[in-house]
Amino acid sequence: MKKIAVTAVVLALIAGTGFYFVKNRNPEISYRTAKLERGTIVATVAATGNLSAVTTVQVGTQVSGTIQKLYADYNSRVRKGQAIAEIDPSLFNAAVEQARGNALNAEANLLKAKVTLADAERTMTRNKKLLADGIISQGDYDVAETAYLSAKASIKATEGSVAQTKGALLQARTNLRYSVIRSPVDGIVISRAVDVGQTVAASFQTPTLFTIAQDLTKMQIETSVDEADISRVRVGQDTTFTVDAYPEQSFVGKVVQVRSAPVVTQNVVTYVVVINVDNKEMKLKPGMTANVSIEVGKKVDVLKLPPAALRFKPKIKGEEQKEKKPGSSQQQGGKQGRKDKGQQVYVLKENKPAAISIKTGIGNNSSIELVEGALKEGDEVIIEQLGGDTKKKSGAAMGGSPMGPRPH
């Protein structure tokens, strides 16, 4: 019995020792690779914005009153000059009649003044002859001359009154005409802010009653582009975008304006880029949120590197401290977009990683252009290390900053 117990202990020790060595043995190192392929690379800048009509007109009122009739509603097509609403004209009609009465009265006063002038002129002419004959005194003649000059001045005053009353009549008629609100353009009503019976007041700030989009077959997107990307955006660049209403459909547009005025929101600086969009199918509507990709560069038939190849750095035992030293390639990788002598990828030579210096061009999330380097189509580059020290597996092997261009 004692012998069996000793044998069991020995076997347990052997099994434990074997398990320890198996557990702590570093797994065999292997590498994942990817082939270099030729193709097209499109570099883009991402932005978001809202769709709107190219020309939107806000229609207001220049007179105050109560809305009596509405001739247009949401989505109504209207023509230039078409009546779209009417304010109660009762007060304006009364004002026109009052102004016309004042104008007629002023014209009558002008006629009366002309008659008075003619009589004063005849009296002065007669007294002038009588003065020459010595029949009347100089004083009598002076009284007649003064009456003539006074009548002549009265003509000017009544003429001014006639002009003033005519102006008031014109204003009253204009206000009456403004009581009928007409569309200033051909278009579609996209907003109506009033109802029948509502009182509107015209003041220094004209109230908006209708919003009319002049042509919804041509729309625009005002996007916000980050300051880090704005230098690559140019007028004339092609764009694609999606909207939430049609998530599986892609629409196209073109950059027509890059505004220089910065927009600062919570210390983040962006710039407005305006994109024109064709909307012949009328699927797009004002206010929709657009997720835009602006094409800032395109290369055809170039060698494409996977971004993971630029991020890969081999990790083998004893190199951890070396890579942590100041000035190491991992610390000096910098942001994507740098094109310096430090750019490297690794290939397998005799089952070991070998560095190759390269130079990259444009890129995106899926591929980066290979401009220079001792690589050709079909060559395989390392993108990930498998096995080795458990502390330096794929996560560590993928460490470091990529040295290619900033992808989008």
Side-chain angles (χ1 to χ4, degrees):
M1 192 73 178
K2 185 176 181 180
K3 182 184 277 189
I4 294 174
V6 171
T7 303
V9 171
V10 171
L11 290 175
L13 288 173
I14 293 172
T17 304
F19 177 76
Y20 173 80
F21 282 108
V22 170
K23 181 180 179 182
N24 289 277
R25 185 184 65 180
N26 287 337
E28 184 180 351
I29 297 175
S30 62
Y31 301 93
R32 285 181 57 201
T33 60
K35 285 186 178 181
L36 292 181
E37 299 177 346
R38 282 194 173 274
T40 300
I41 298 177
V42 178
T44 60
V45 167
T48 58
N50 293 98
L51 283 153
S52 63
V54 175
T55 304
T56 302
V57 180
Q58 293 181 331
V59 182
T61 175
Q62 292 181 281
V63 295
S64 302
T66 303
I67 299 295
Q68 187 178 62
K69 296 178 182 178
L70 287 176
Y71 303 111
D73 203 349
Y74 290 94
N75 300 326
S76 296
R77 278 193 180 276
V78 294
R79 306 291 296 177
K80 183 177 182 180
Q82 176 182 333
I84 56 179
E86 184 178 348
I87 295 174
D88 185 359
S90 302
L91 294 177
F92 303 110
N93 282 324
V96 168
E97 291 302 316
Q98 182 178 1
R100 183 162 55 187
N102 292 336
L104 291 174
N105 185 55
E107 289 177 353
N109 289 336
L110 177 60
L111 290 176
K112 182 178 179 181
K114 288 180 177 179
V115 171
T116 302
L117 176 63
D119 181 64
E121 186 177 10
R122 285 195 300 270
T123 300
M124 184 187 69
T125 301
R126 184 171 55 253
N127 286 352
K128 187 176 183 180
K129 183 181 288 188
L130 293 175
L131 176 64
D133 295 338
I135 297 174
I136 63 173
S137 65
Q138 182 66 41
D140 293 333
Y141 173 77
D142 290 343
V143 170
E145 184 180 24
T146 300
Y148 167 75
L149 294 176
S150 177
K152 193 173 183 180
S154 180
I155 290 289
K156 294 294 184 182
T158 51
E159 285 179 347
S161 179
V162 168
Q164 187 174 9
T165 54
K166 283 184 176 180
L169 176 59
L170 180 61
Q171 182 178 4
R173 286 174 173 169
T174 301
N175 288 340
L176 177 61
R177 188 172 70 250
Y178 282 154
S179 68
V180 178
I181 300 166
R182 301 181 183 276
S183 172
V185 294
D186 296 341
I188 297 175
V189 177
I190 60 175
S191 174
R192 173 174 62 83
V194 291
D195 290 298
V196 173
Q198 183 173 338
T199 300
V200 293
S203 58
F204 292 105
Q205 185 175 0
T206 302
T208 299
L209 308 184
F210 297 87
T211 302
I212 299 176
Q214 188 167 358
D215 185 4
L216 286 182
T217 62
K218 297 184 185 300
M219 302 188 72
Q220 68 181 20
I221 308 171
E222 290 191 3
T223 64
S224 298
V225 176
D226 189 85
E227 61 176 323
D229 298 320
I230 195 65
S231 62
R232 297 189 288 164
V233 179
R234 298 283 185 275
V235 172
Q237 289 173 337
D238 293 327
T239 67
T240 58
F241 66 94
T242 59
V243 294
D244 293 340
Y246 307 98
E248 297 180 357
Q249 183 174 355
S250 181
F251 300 88
V252 298
K254 191 175 289 291
V255 176
V256 295
Q257 189 179 69
V258 181
R259 295 178 182 170
S260 299
V263 179
V264 183
T265 305
Q266 295 181 348
N267 294 327
V268 177
V269 179
T270 58
Y271 294 85
V272 174
V273 175
V274 182
I275 298 167
N276 271 8
V277 177
D278 190 4
N279 188 33
K280 289 181 180 179
E281 297 180 1
M282 300 295 287
K283 287 185 175 181
L284 302 173
K285 299 184 182 300
M288 284 185 172
T289 300
N291 301 307
V292 183
S293 291
I294 304 172
E295 184 180 310
V296 296
K298 183 176 182 180
K299 293 290 184 70
V300 180
D301 193 28
V302 295
L303 281 176
K304 301 193 295 182
L305 275 172
L310 285 166
R311 293 193 295 266
F312 174 78
K313 297 292 181 294
K315 294 290 186 75
I316 58 177
K317 189 175 182 180
E319 289 196 354
E320 300 92 343
Q321 298 301 323
K322 180 180 178 182
E323 291 187 0
K324 291 180 181 178
K325 290 181 181 179
S328 66
S329 60
Q330 186 172 354
Q331 289 188 345
Q332 294 178 353
K335 296 180 179 179
Q336 284 186 327
R338 289 179 55 188
K339 302 181 179 68
D340 52 35
K341 296 180 180 180
Q343 289 183 297
Q344 289 182 331
V345 294
Y346 290 83
V347 298
L348 283 176
K349 289 187 178 179
E350 300 178 355
N351 293 325
K352 293 183 179 180
I356 295 180
S357 296
I358 61 167
K359 183 178 179 180
T360 59
I362 68 171
N364 53 35
N365 288 332
S366 61
S367 55
I368 297 172
E369 177 193 7
L370 177 62
V371 177
E372 295 178 4
L375 294 170
K376 62 183 183 301
E377 184 179 0
D379 287 348
E380 295 188 354
V381 292
I382 302 173
I383 60 174
E384 185 180 2
Q385 176 177 315
L386 304 174
D389 191 340
T390 56
K391 295 182 180 179
K392 302 180 281 294
K393 284 190 177 181
S394 59
M398 297 289 286
S401 300
M403 300 173 67
R406 181 176 182 177
H408 291 280

